[in-house]
Amino acid sequence: MSSRFPSRRRALVVALALVAGLGCERETRRFREVPPTAMPDASLRLSSINPGPPVPDVPSRSGYVENAYAVSEGKRLFAQFNCVGCHAQGGGAMGPPLMDDEWIYGAEPQNIFATIVQGRPNGMPAYGPRLATSQVWQLAAYIRSMSGRVRKDVAPGRADAMQATAQEQATTEQRPVESTTPPNSERP
Amino acid sequence: MQFPGEHSAHGPAGPQALLLDRLGDLLYGIAAVVFVLVVTALLVAAFRRRPNGEGMDDPARERRMAMAVASAAGATVATLVAVLFLSFGSGKRLTGTPPPDAIQIRVTGRQWFWDVEYRDSLPSRWATTANEIHVPVGRPVVFQLRSTDVIHSFWVPNLGVKRDMIPGQETSIWFQADTPGVYRGQCAEFCGYQHAKMSFLVVAEPPDRFAVWLDRQRDTARTPTDSLARRGQEVFLASTCVMCHAIQGTPAGSRVGPNLTHLASRRTIAAGTLPNTRGHLAGWIIDPQQIKPGVRMPPNALAPDDLQALLAYLESLR
Amino acid sequence: MTTGTGTGPDPVTINPLDPVTLERERRELQRSWSPGPGLWGWLTNVDHKSVAVRYIVTAFVFFLLGGIQAGLMRLQLARPENRLLGPDEYSQIFSTHGTTMMFLFAVPIVTAVGLYLVPLMIGTRNVAFPRLNLYGYYVYLIGGALLYTGLLLNTGPEAGWFSYVPLSGPEFSPGKRSDVYAQTVTFTEISALITSVEIIVTVFKQRAPGMSLNRIPLFVWAQLVAAFMIMFAMPWVATASMFLAMDRLVGTHLFNPAEGGDPLLWQHLFWFFGHPEVYIIFVPALGFVSSIVSGMTGRPIFGYPIMVVALVVTGFMSFGLWVHHMFATGIPQLSESFFSAMSMMIAIPTGVQIFCWTATIWSGRPRFRVPFLFVLGFVVVFIIGGFTGVMVASVPYDVQAHDTFFVVAHLHYVLLGGMVFPLFGAAYYWLPKVTGRMLDERLGRWHFWLFFIGVNLTFFPMHQLGLDGMTRRVYTYLPETGWGPLNLVASLGALTIAASVAVFLVNLVRSRRGGAPAGDDPWDGPTLEWATSSPPPPYNFHLLPTVRSRTPLWKRESDAPVVTGLRTDMREILVTTMLDAEPDNRMRLPEPTIWPLLAALATGVTFIALIFTPWGLPIGAVLITVAFIGWGWPSPKEHELQLREEREG
């Protein structure tokens, strides 16, 4: 790279930084999160409509959704904390499916966070005081991957167990449908 | 109390370890002798003073050297064959079928601790504990080894046992402890972030004390008597602890983390990493990542009063 | 013997050895065989010496990088509960250290020394497939760049250099770290296979007339045996890494016991390669030692036929040892016994070699120059490793030693002793041929002694540490274990090794700048590489020699025939028969070309894409096909040369 082509060198540096940025976030292993146990943000919303002027969205904790370690930990916790007991491997049983595009209480990570922490009517327990904040974010990130909404290089591969579901990295994306009415199965 | 326990292949505490120690000494001795011979020959060959008239082409010397090389090769073959038979003999003595009166202990390696289960013909007499294994002195013990995640390896140097724990298979190894003591074992197959601190203790004690210990392990947890410990139990059941740890006799039944039913009876916590004292336990509960970064247990923020109550409760779990 | 037609005027009327003709031929050879000018010429240079030097320099850089990682590990372990490296960083560093040293340094450098010297030693002008050789180098370079880019992006391998599943599988190794590992292995294994093909074909078909197989130097035998071992061993690690990549990328279950796979499958596949791998590293070094001992004692190696048999037997036997890495897995005792026996018996051929060298030294006149010192150091350090090897070959003893620092000590003794000592000796012995300048003797002695002391200081305490309970791959240890003092000693030893390598680097730089000129034959060596200038011209030899003995330069008669009559206006070599090296044919080698680089880039794109998506395979296949079509398509110059060749018959 000679000084006659500064733009080429700059472009290379920018490219390297971008690649570094992508690589770093996926591969960071964050072992410590500031405790306390999980409590949802007061500004969390379930719907995008509100009276008055538009309210800015709460920023998503994207760090977890782009972090392979977090998603992988979420997968482990999903099995170990028995989410499969109600949600099966995402197909739903007593609880609603998590791998489809219907999200009753919002599909963003912070919405899933709130759902896990606060509990929901018709059977979702409130895990608030019993899960560490980092664990809830990891679960939320994994749950997003179940509907294919996590980058393919971040999403986990097949589990080292009997196969009950497709590997998340090969799941096609299920874009959430904005819905405030409960799904058919839950209508009286 | 001895922390962290003996952990050397040179301190045999049972017949298997003794056999291995002796074999090791013999092999080392043979190696030392051969080393001295070969290096001496080499150095003499290099540094010997050569008489002035000595020529390079000397058929008689070539023949002598051929005989020397052949003899050395023959001696090498003989030594290696002897070592091989020595090794086979020791191996046979180590791995014969265990005697029928052997105690069976199931150990499951998990990232990064050890689930220990003492079974019985009556399921109500099964005992589950973690990270500390007691065995009676003078009686053969069979370990049935499994893993639920990655390959671990169960190694106790003083007792001469090492066997990999491979997911999808059950492996087993047996031994006998003849000398009472506390022996430290460590995972011997790289298994992730906290492989370095995945240890356990094997406590070899006289059979009567072992029986008392085992009986106590079979019991459910003591109901806390004083109010602080009772409050501690409530804290345990109301916070993150209950998601991963089991305490028999309470609603806590999760098998994600080590069983804590008789936590206070153990010499160490955190898979042999810390002595089991109040201070260490408090530090471990508040921030395990500081001590073992990457371990599965998250930091837990507890109010100081809650923490004190919890500690009082855990200390009551003898 | 003179053969065939040359260029220019009617050969009958010209004496081929007339000085004017010779001068003209030299100039034409220089023109035909030289690379192009500038960066383009360097990128397209297919001269085996240029490719080999690039391999060696690159491998040496990887050695330094791997050494830095080792230094970091020793700094971390010098004290108990040290906080220099956390468990995540430490796992990447020790995994990259192992991967670098085994895949990016050891095998490439020993085969590259062969790529440089084998054509010279057998009296030919280049390897059999020059462009393939260059392609192999570029593939290797891309593989190494992949690994280090990965490490810098926090995506280095994290499960050790042998990457056991399930730890390296999709569930327990999130992200792309183990995928980077799997593809790095693929690159280096392609490169090694290419080098092995080069060596085998070149040695079998391009030897100087008269150099029957029982007259080739032991160095060449060693390279030949190692090349065959590479061909039989490397495909297995390719298979293993491909299976790992498939399990991670597309969800196969080869290593998933719950769906019919087996974690032990990985171990078998890997170690079936992994054990021969260490002998692939070791056997060429045995060749270095034979050349150095012969050159420095002034006599041919004692017992040449036995030495050849020992090399070949070592090569064969090394394929029967692999289960000794799995003695703790609980496989049946009968199987373990077989491998235990083989693991001990393989000491016999190596022992015989050491006895023959001792006999050679005894009956020769050794000159205690630096290469010879490194040979003495090799024997001492290597046999310590050999003895601990016999100890861990014993199944019951392995119960205590397996996966502890005892094994770390053993493997470093045999690798450093068995390969790095001979390699340094080879550097002092042959760098004068490569650069034309001698290395400094005094600095060389400092280098040797610092290295010898450093290696022993670092690795001898580890035997005790292992038996004291210290397992491998630990990022730290408790102070109460009592492992602190010996670890500190080992870390001080590591600093000593670093100092010795620094001395070597100083020596290299000083020699390049102003070392004593070496001349053609500074050591009065016996083999053909000393029969040409230092550094050799691009065409190696103007008049290709013929041989009538194993030590042609010592037994050279003044009227020894040379080969004349090969064309000088194009790159032509002599092809001889396989067993007795009688002249058989002449062959034109291809011109320099950019296609090896382009094909390597296409290969690189394929395998790097396969880290992220299965689409890498079809897209990459297309790119590689295009590149190889371009490679095979005759350039205008090639076409013109082909026509000229056919016309002049």
Side-chain angles (χ1 to χ4, degrees):
Chain A
M1 295 290 161
S2 75
S3 56
R4 278 184 291 156
F5 302 100
S7 56
R8 212 192 285 174
R9 187 187 293 162
R10 241 185 286 135
L12 181 71
V13 167
V14 165
L16 279 175
L18 269 175
V19 174
L22 280 177
C24 281
E25 188 45 52
R26 180 184 67 232
E27 299 290 346
T28 317
R29 262 75 170 151
R30 272 189 292 266
F31 294 142
R32 298 177 73 211
E33 264 292 321
V34 175
T37 47
M39 282 303 152
D41 232 276
S43 56
L44 210 51
R45 301 188 298 159
L46 295 180
S47 161
S48 56
I49 49 178
N50 61 277
V55 171
D57 261 326
V58 174
S60 160
R61 291 288 283 269
S62 68
Y64 282 89
V65 174
E66 285 172 14
N67 183 270
Y69 173 71
V71 177
S72 162
E73 283 291 285
K75 182 166 180 162
R76 176 182 68 82
L77 294 171
F78 192 87
Q80 286 184 334
F81 288 163
N82 200 27
C83 312
V84 293
C86 291
H87 293 283
Q89 293 285 353
M94 290 194 294
L98 298 175
M99 55 170 37
D100 63 352
D101 56 1
E102 281 184 30
W103 293 87
I104 308 171
Y105 300 105
E108 291 306 299
Q110 59 270 26
N111 296 121
I112 303 175
F113 183 98
T115 299
I116 295 173
V117 160
Q118 294 169 338
R120 291 287 179 250
N122 289 328
M124 175 66 187
Y127 285 95
R130 289 197 176 74
L131 289 179
T133 312
S134 59
Q135 291 179 322
V136 183
W137 286 117
Q138 287 165 354
L139 280 165
Y142 172 65
I143 289 165
R144 264 177 80 87
S145 81
M146 289 166 79
S147 52
R149 296 177 62 222
V150 158
R151 241 174 43 216
K152 290 287 175 282
D153 59 323
V154 174
R158 61 134 177 89
D160 259 279
M162 280 174 62
Q163 294 305 288
T165 180
Q167 39 168 2
E168 288 80 3
Q169 67 184 1
T171 316
T172 38
E173 186 180 355
Q174 303 286 321
R175 300 209 119 258
V177 170
E178 185 77 28
S179 164
T180 50
T181 53
N184 285 332
S185 58
E186 290 184 16
R187 295 216 185 106
Chain B
M1 184 203 64
Q2 190 189 11
F3 179 81
E6 290 179 53
H7 51 83
S8 169
H10 295 305
Q16 288 80 13
L18 190 60
L19 182 67
L20 292 176
D21 196 30
R22 291 214 184 113
L23 176 66
D25 286 342
L26 200 53
L27 292 175
Y28 181 72
I30 295 175
V33 166
V34 177
F35 176 77
V36 167
L37 288 174
V38 173
V39 173
T40 310
L42 181 70
L43 293 176
V44 167
F47 288 100
R48 76 180 182 105
R49 241 171 315 166
R50 285 144 171 88
N52 268 334
E54 188 184 80
M56 296 269 252
D57 288 316
D58 181 353
R61 189 176 60 184
E62 298 284 302
R63 271 195 304 276
R64 278 200 305 274
M65 290 201 300
M67 297 243 308
V69 168
S71 326
T76 309
V77 174
T79 313
L80 284 173
V81 170
V83 166
L84 189 64
F85 277 99
L86 196 66
S87 157
F88 282 165
S90 309
K92 259 185 100 71
R93 297 212 329 258
L94 268 183
T95 57
T97 332
D101 65 332
I103 295 183
Q104 315 249 346
I105 306 178
R106 279 173 70 129
V107 182
T108 305
R110 312 203 21 214
Q111 283 178 321
W112 290 280
F113 64 96
W114 311 86
D115 267 337
V116 181
E117 215 172 77
Y118 290 77
R119 292 200 167 180
D120 193 276
S121 45
L122 272 175
S124 58
R125 286 168 59 78
W126 287 5
T128 307
T129 180
N131 299 330
E132 186 169 298
I133 305 170
H134 286 232
V135 296
V137 166
R139 213 173 130 193
V141 178
V142 173
F143 285 113
Q144 292 153 341
L145 305 169
R146 293 150 187 261
S147 163
T148 55
D149 38 39
V150 298
I151 300 180
H152 300 278
S153 190
F154 183 83
W155 182 38
V156 189
N158 288 84
L159 299 171
V161 285
K162 178 184 287 156
R163 185 66 93 221
D164 283 357
M165 302 154 117
I166 302 168
Q169 306 181 358
E170 179 179 299
T171 53
S172 71
I173 193 163
W174 76 277
F175 79 102
Q176 185 168 310
D178 284 339
T179 316
V182 177
Y183 308 111
R184 182 168 180 267
Q186 189 155 339
C187 177
E189 184 62 64
F190 181 65
C191 51
Y193 307 119
Q194 282 303 324
H195 162 71
K197 293 184 177 175
M198 184 174 163
S199 337
F200 59 99
L201 291 182
V202 176
V203 178
E205 49 191 4
D208 48 348
R209 283 183 51 188
F210 169 74
V212 166
W213 176 87
L214 190 57
D215 272 332
R216 197 155 357 108
Q217 295 295 313
R218 288 178 175 138
D219 281 340
T220 55
R222 295 173 175 211
T223 339
T225 43
D226 67 286
S227 57
L228 191 62
R230 249 195 314 250
R231 181 164 160 222
Q233 185 180 48
E234 284 162 27
V235 170
F236 183 92
L237 293 173
S239 59
T240 51
C241 319
V242 72
M243 294 296 287
C244 295
H245 292 289
I247 296 183
Q248 238 178 306
T250 69
S254 171
R255 303 182 61 128
V256 176
N259 188 302
L260 298 182
T261 313
H262 298 283
L263 177 65
S265 73
R266 297 180 205 156
R267 289 160 168 75
T268 60
I269 57 170
T273 311
L274 298 168
N276 190 359
T277 68
R278 198 187 182 105
H280 283 114
L281 191 56
W284 173 250
I285 291 171
I286 293 295
D287 196 354
Q289 300 291 333
Q290 189 67 258
I291 300 164
K292 293 174 91 172
V295 79
R296 303 282 192 225
M297 179 163 159
N300 303 286
L302 290 170
D305 289 341
D306 287 341
L307 178 63
Q308 293 304 316
L310 181 64
L311 290 170
Y313 173 59
L314 293 173
E315 281 179 346
S316 77
L317 295 173
R318 270 184 282 280
Chain C
M1 58 212 76
T2 57
T3 50
T5 53
T7 52
D10 179 8
V12 173
T13 56
I14 304 281
N15 179 352
L17 296 182
D18 137 56
V20 172
T21 318
L22 286 177
E23 187 49 43
R24 177 173 48 81
E25 284 187 348
R26 258 195 289 272
R27 267 185 280 117
E28 280 179 9
L29 279 172
Q30 185 75 25
R31 210 178 10 215
S32 311
W33 287 86
S34 286
L39 180 66
W40 185 267
W42 186 74
L43 287 174
T44 59
N45 190 353
V46 292
D47 181 352
H48 73 100
K49 299 184 290 298
S50 160
V51 175
V53 164
R54 277 181 273 186
Y55 262 115
I56 291 171
V57 169
T58 312
F60 190 65
V61 167
F62 284 129
F63 173 69
L64 296 175
L65 290 173
I68 291 172
Q69 286 147 16
L72 285 171
M73 289 195 283
R74 282 311 331 158
L75 278 177
Q76 165 67 12
L77 291 178
R79 294 183 315 137
E81 296 276 37
N82 205 353
R83 298 222 162 207
L84 178 68
L85 298 172
D88 186 41
E89 290 112 41
Y90 191 87
S91 66
Q92 284 188 76
I93 292 208
F94 81 70
S95 306
T96 311
H97 167 78
T99 310
T100 302
M101 291 304 198
M102 295 300 279
F103 290 112
L104 297 178
F105 162 65
V107 172
I109 211 169
V110 293
T111 48
V113 174
L115 278 178
Y116 192 99
L117 289 172
V118 163
L120 287 167
M121 284 185 177
I122 63 176
T124 186
R125 294 221 166 109
N126 204 337
V127 290
F129 310 110
R131 296 175 298 180
L132 190 65
N133 203 13
L134 184 60
Y135 168 74
Y137 169 72
Y138 286 132
V139 167
Y140 158 69
L141 182 64
I142 293 174
L146 170 66
L147 182 70
Y148 277 88
T149 310
L151 183 65
L152 289 173
L153 293 180
N154 201 13
T155 319
E158 62 174 351
W161 86 274
F162 43 86
S163 198
Y164 277 359
V165 291
L167 183 65
S168 61
E171 182 168 335
F172 299 103
S173 181
K176 292 299 172 187
R177 291 175 174 180
S178 292
D179 302 276
V180 166
Y181 166 82
Q183 299 305 344
T184 300
V185 164
T186 306
F187 283 112
T188 56
E189 154 265 317
I190 292 175
S191 164
L193 282 170
I194 287 172
T195 312
S196 72
V197 165
E198 299 285 356
I199 302 272
I200 292 173
V201 178
T202 310
V203 169
F204 278 158
K205 294 301 291 180
Q206 288 179 223
R207 301 192 304 280
M211 190 184 276
S212 49
L213 273 181
N214 66 334
R215 286 181 186 159
I216 62 177
L218 286 170
F219 179 104
V220 178
W221 271 114
Q223 290 285 333
L224 194 62
V225 168
F228 274 105
M229 290 167 69
I230 291 175
M231 281 183 72
F232 282 97
M234 288 280 177
W236 295 102
V237 76
T239 309
S241 70
M242 182 176 73
F243 283 177
L244 179 65
M246 278 163 58
D247 264 21
R248 292 177 61 89
L249 192 65
V250 293
T252 53
H253 298 287
L254 291 148
F255 304 124
N256 180 4
E259 293 283 353
D262 192 342
L264 283 184
L265 175 64
W266 167 270
Q267 294 191 26
H268 281 292
L269 285 174
F270 187 88
W271 288 119
F272 188 79
F273 146 81
H275 195 81
E277 152 92 342
V278 305
Y279 282 90
I280 288 167
I281 293 170
F282 177 53
V283 163
L286 296 175
F288 302 169
V289 172
S290 284
S291 287
I292 296 172
V293 167
S294 179
M296 303 302 278
T297 57
R299 62 150 289 167
I301 297 287
F302 177 82
Y304 176 99
I306 293 291
M307 295 287 280
V308 173
V309 169
L311 284 171
V312 173
V313 165
T314 305
F316 272 105
M317 285 180 81
S318 70
F319 281 86
L321 308 189
W322 82 91
V323 176
H324 70 216
H325 299 272
M326 299 165 64
F327 279 160
T329 56
I331 57 184
Q333 204 189 351
L334 184 60
S335 335
E336 291 184 344
S337 309
F338 170 77
F339 291 96
S340 177
M342 286 287 267
S343 304
M344 294 201 198
M345 295 305 142
I346 201 169
I348 298 171
T350 312
V352 165
Q353 293 216 315
I354 293 178
F355 302 145
C356 287
W357 287 321
T358 309
T360 312
I361 294 171
W362 181 288
S363 55
R365 288 174 195 284
R367 291 174 283 164
F368 289 86
R369 307 285 294 277
V370 175
F372 192 68
L373 290 181
F374 274 104
V375 163
L376 294 177
F378 146 74
V379 176
V380 173
V381 175
F382 175 75
I383 60 175
I384 294 176
F387 294 141
T388 54
V390 168
M391 289 163 86
V392 292
S394 154
V395 177
Y397 192 76
D398 200 40
V399 166
Q400 297 286 40
H402 172 67
D403 241 316
T404 67
F405 264 78
F406 188 93
V407 175
V408 176
H410 159 69
L411 72 92
H412 284 94
Y413 264 92
V414 285
L415 285 172
L416 287 169
M419 192 274 273
V420 182
F421 270 88
L423 185 70
F424 281 141
Y428 285 87
Y429 192 63
W430 279 297
L431 268 176
K433 171 59 58 180
V434 177
T435 63
R437 295 186 175 279
M438 304 293 289
L439 286 164
D440 182 62
E441 272 291 304
R442 197 155 154 270
L443 280 178
R445 279 196 292 273
W446 272 96
H447 172 202
F448 168 74
W449 283 109
L450 281 173
F451 193 63
F452 184 79
I453 292 170
V455 166
N456 282 293
L457 205 58
T458 311
F459 296 104
F460 202 81
M462 292 186 183
H463 295 113
Q464 183 60 34
L465 279 172
L467 294 174
D468 252 347
M470 187 169 180
T471 52
R472 282 176 84 167
R473 279 112 176 252
V474 291
Y475 75 100
T476 189
Y477 50 93
L478 298 174
E480 294 87 349
T481 52
W483 297 331
L486 285 179
N487 268 295
L488 188 60
V489 170
S491 299
L492 291 173
L495 287 176
T496 315
I497 294 179
S500 82
V501 174
V503 168
F504 180 59
L505 287 171
V506 167
N507 203 350
L508 286 175
V509 170
R510 282 237 212 125
S511 156
R512 287 284 297 195
R513 289 216 189 126
D520 286 8
D521 191 4
W523 307 110
D524 189 23
T527 41
L528 286 179
E529 76 271 25
W530 306 111
T532 183
S533 64
S534 304
Y539 46 89
N540 290 352
F541 303 93
H542 171 196
L543 301 168
L544 296 175
T546 66
V547 302
R548 288 196 271 221
S549 75
R550 289 176 188 150
T551 52
L553 261 63
W554 287 342
K555 293 209 165 122
R556 187 193 286 188
E557 299 111 9
S558 56
D559 63 343
V562 293
V563 176
T564 66
L566 288 178
R567 297 186 71 134
T568 52
D569 61 333
M570 56 179 78
R571 300 182 173 213
E572 204 171 62
I573 56 159
L574 183 67
V575 174
T576 56
T577 60
M578 193 168 115
L579 288 178
D580 287 315
E582 283 158 26
D584 191 29
N585 213 339
R586 59 212 296 192
M587 194 172 91
R588 184 178 66 81
L589 289 181
E591 297 294 305
T593 160
I594 196 65
W595 283 103
L597 175 60
L598 298 177
L601 288 172
T603 313
V605 164
T606 310
F607 290 111
I608 293 175
L610 276 173
I611 292 174
F612 296 99
T613 166
W615 283 105
L617 196 58
I619 295 174
V622 168
L623 288 175
I624 293 178
T625 310
V626 166
F628 277 104
I629 291 176
W631 176 319
W633 204 280
S635 66
K637 174 134 196 249
E638 291 275 350
H639 193 64
E640 183 231 318
L641 290 173
Q642 262 173 356
L643 288 176
R644 211 192 313 160
E645 235 187 331
E646 284 163 20
R647 228 180 15 235
E648 297 172 14

